[in-house]
Amino acid sequence: MEWYIFLAVIGIYVLISLLILPMQYRFLIALKAEEEKNWLKGKKQGDMYDAMNAGELSLHGNMQGNPLFFLANLFASLLYRVKHRGDSM
């Protein structure tokens, strides 16, 4: 009986991750575009984060650091790498 509960919890987590995936993927695309824009200006990644206001930093920290989003972040990252395989940077 314990296995059914465990599998149900894992299934719900995967389902939530798949539902969150489009949002995480769009966030990752926007983040990569911002990094590329700053890279073209000669700025480093740290400069980009230094220029963010507190709300953006909080959003970024939550989107990337929340354990609930771990699997969705992993899926979004893999999807981004597959779709943008030939891109420079």
Side-chain angles (χ1 to χ4, degrees), residues 41-77:
K41 290 180 182 177
K43 294 182 180 180
K44 296 181 181 173
Q45 187 176 17
D47 297 333
M48 179 181 79
Y49 293 114
D50 289 341
M52 286 183 182
N53 64 33
E56 290 174 326
L57 284 173
S58 177
L59 175 66
H60 178 75
N62 190 35
M63 294 286 279
Q64 296 298 317
N66 192 331
L68 179 65
F69 298 150
F70 175 75
L71 192 58
N73 286 337
L74 180 65
F75 288 161
S77 183

Side-chain angles (χ1 to χ4, degrees), residues 33-46:
E34 188 70 26
E35 285 177 357
E36 184 174 351
K37 185 173 75 171
N38 285 330
W39 182 75
L40 292 173
K41 290 180 182 177
K43 294 182 180 180
K44 296 181 181 173
Q45 187 176 17

Side-chain angles (χ1 to χ4, degrees), residues 16-32 63-64 69-85:
I16 290 171
S17 295
L18 290 174
L19 292 173
I20 295 172
L21 178 62
M23 178 179 60
Q24 293 296 95
Y25 182 72
R26 285 190 300 264
F27 176 76
L28 186 60
I29 287 177
L31 184 64
K32 294 293 184 180
M63 294 286 279
Q64 296 298 317
F69 298 150
F70 175 75
L71 192 58
N73 286 337
L74 180 65
F75 288 161
S77 183
L78 291 173
L79 184 62
Y80 183 85
R81 287 182 182 166
V82 168
K83 282 190 167 188
H84 298 90
R85 191 173 289 159

